[in-house]
Amino acid sequence: MIKSSLTGRIGRLAGDNGPERVLIAASFVNRVGNGLFNAASALYFTLVVGLPAVQVGAALTIAGVIGLCAGIPGGHLADRRGARTIMMSALVVQALSMAALVLVESWAVLTVVATVDQVAAAAGGAAAGALVVRVGGDRPARFRAKLRTFVNLGVVLGTLGAGLALAANTRGAYVTLILGNAASFALCAALLLLLPRYPVLAPPPAQRRWGALTDRPFLAFTALYGAMGLQYPVVSLLLPIWISEHTEAPRWTVAALFAVNSLFCVLMQTRIGSRIETPRDGGRAFRTAGLLFLVSCPMMALAAYAPVWAAAGLVLAAIFVHSLGEVWESSAGYALGFGLAPDHAQGQYQGVLGLGFSAGQALAPALLTTVVLGLGTTGWLLLALFFAALGAAGPSLARWGMRTRPQPAVAAEATG
C-alpha cells in the first residue's frame, strides 16, 4: 500500500497525462546533458584544446549575441509551422553542433559552431515555451512549475556527473561530457515524437503579424523580468566572490549555497508554482519575490561583519530566503509570460521574453561586479531596493496587461 501510494505521488508529480510526462522526461534528459557540459565546457576549451581564455570568452559572447536575434523569428515560425516541429529541428541542430565541438581546434571554428548552437537554442527555447502551453492545456503555469522541478533536478545530476570528469581531468573525460550532451539533445528530440501533432492556431483577422513587438504591457513585463533576472547571477557569481573576498566563512560555504539553492528549488517549485496561475496571481508573486530579495541581500552583506561560523550561518540563511524568492519570481514569470500572450502567438511572445531575459543575463556580470562589489555593503542595499522596486510594479503591470487583452466576447467573434 505504501509503495503504491508513493508511486502514485511520483506519477502525479511527473505529469497529469501522457503528453505532460513525455515533455517532462524529454526536458529532464536534455538538462542532465546540459549539466554535464556547462560545468566543464570552459575548462575543455582552455586546458584541452589550448585556446586562451580571452578567445573562448569572445567566441561565446559573439555566439550569444547572435543567438539572441533568433528567438523571436524562431518563436513566430513555431506558431505558424508547429511548436513540436521547430523544437525538434532545433534539438537536432544542437545535437550536431555539440558533437562538432570535439573537432574544434581554432577560435574561428569555435565561434562558428557555438553560434549555430546558440541560434538553435534561442529558436528551440521559444518553440518550447509554445509547446508547454499546448501540453499544459488549461493550466500551463502549473505544468511549467512541475517541468522546472525536473529541469532543476536534471541539471543537478548532470553537474554531479561533470564533477567526476573534472576529477579525472583527461581529454577522454571531457569529450565524454560533450558527446553526452549531444546525445541528450538527440534523445530529447526523439522523445518529442511521442507527443501528438498539435494543430496550428490561426490568428484573428485583425491581428498584427509581429504583435509581441507592439504589445506595450508585455514589453514592460519583459523589461521587468529581464531586470529581476539579475537575482540568478547573485547566487552563481556575486555571492561566491563576496564570500571568498569579504567574509570569514569557510570556502565550503560556496558549495553549500549551490546545494541549498538547487535542492530548495526542486522541492518547492511545484508546491508554490502550482498555485500561481493567472496574471493577477503572477503580479502578486512578483511583488512577493521582490520583498524576499529585499531581505536576502542585506543578510548576504552582513556576512562580511560576522565571525566564521556566524558568517556561514548568515550566508546559508540568506540563500534559503533568496531561493524562496527565486521560486516566487519564476512562478510569476510563468503566470505573466503565458497569461499575457495570445494562444496563437505563444512562440513569438516567448521569444520576446527570452530575448529580454538573456539581455539581462548578459549585462548582469558587469553590473553586479562593478556596482555591488565596488560599493560593498552599500551596493548590496541598493540591489535589495532595486529588486523590491521591480517587484512592487508587478501588481499594477498585471492589471494593465489584463485591461489591454481582448475580452472573451471579442476574441470569440474574431475566431468565429
Side-chain angles (χ1 to χ4, degrees), residues 49-299:
V49 179
L51 294 176
V54 173
Q55 289 188 8
V56 174
L60 297 180
T61 299
I62 292 171
V65 170
I66 295 175
L68 286 177
C69 304
I72 298 175
H76 180 70
L77 194 61
D79 293 327
R80 303 280 62 86
R81 295 290 181 266
R84 189 188 74 154
T85 299
I86 300 305
M87 185 176 175
M88 287 176 59
S89 301
L91 287 166
V92 171
V93 171
Q94 285 190 274
L96 295 174
S97 60
M98 187 60 54
L101 286 178
V102 301
L103 304 177
V104 166
E105 295 182 352
S106 68
W107 175 82
V109 175
L110 173 61
T111 302
V112 171
V113 174
T115 299
V116 171
D117 175 74
Q118 288 301 303
V119 168
L131 192 58
V132 166
V133 174
R134 304 306 296 272
V135 173
D138 295 334
R139 302 186 69 185
R142 177 174 177 270
F143 169 57
R144 187 63 181 261
K146 291 184 177 183
L147 185 63
R148 190 171 189 264
T149 297
F150 283 90
V151 161
N152 285 335
L153 182 59
V155 172
V156 171
L157 294 178
T159 303
L160 291 175
L164 299 176
L166 292 174
N169 197 32
T170 63
R171 178 183 178 86
Y174 287 112
V175 168
T176 299
L177 294 182
I178 294 174
L179 294 181
N181 192 23
S184 78
F185 285 117
L187 181 55
C188 181
L191 287 172
L192 294 185
L193 288 171
L194 301 176
L195 291 177
R197 287 180 175 270
Y198 295 99
V200 172
L201 301 177
Q207 180 69 37
R208 296 180 180 179
R209 183 173 184 179
W210 299 101
L213 298 178
T214 58
D215 189 332
R216 288 185 295 172
F218 192 84
L219 292 176
F221 168 65
T222 296
L224 284 179
Y225 189 61
M228 189 71 95
L230 266 66
Q231 62 92 3
Y232 291 100
V234 166
V235 176
S236 63
L237 174 68
L238 184 59
L239 187 54
I241 296 176
W242 182 257
I243 290 172
S244 62
E245 295 185 357
H246 298 276
T247 78
E248 296 183 10
R251 293 297 172 263
W252 57 258
T253 308
V254 174
L257 73 89
F258 283 111
V260 171
N261 177 248
S262 299
L263 181 61
F264 189 84
C265 291
V266 167
L267 293 176
M268 298 304 296
Q269 185 69 56
T270 301
R271 182 181 297 274
I272 292 174
S274 62
R275 303 198 303 266
I276 303 170
E277 290 283 353
T278 67
R280 194 179 305 276
D281 296 335
R284 291 194 292 263
F286 208 67
R287 179 177 59 196
T288 300
L291 293 175
L292 288 166
F293 296 143
L294 179 65
V295 175
S296 66
C297 289
M299 292 173 68

Side-chain angles (χ1 to χ4, degrees), residues 1 79 89 124 129 269 319 328 380 414 416:
M1 179 68 72
D79 293 327
S89 301
Q269 185 69 56
I319 202 63
W328 281 94
W380 279 105

Side-chain angles (χ1 to χ4, degrees), residues 10-33:
I10 294 173
R12 287 192 296 273
L13 181 61
D16 295 333
N17 52 55
E20 286 192 4
R21 287 189 282 272
V22 167
L23 189 53
I24 286 174
S27 302
F28 174 78
V29 167
N30 189 209
R31 289 311 177 95
V32 170

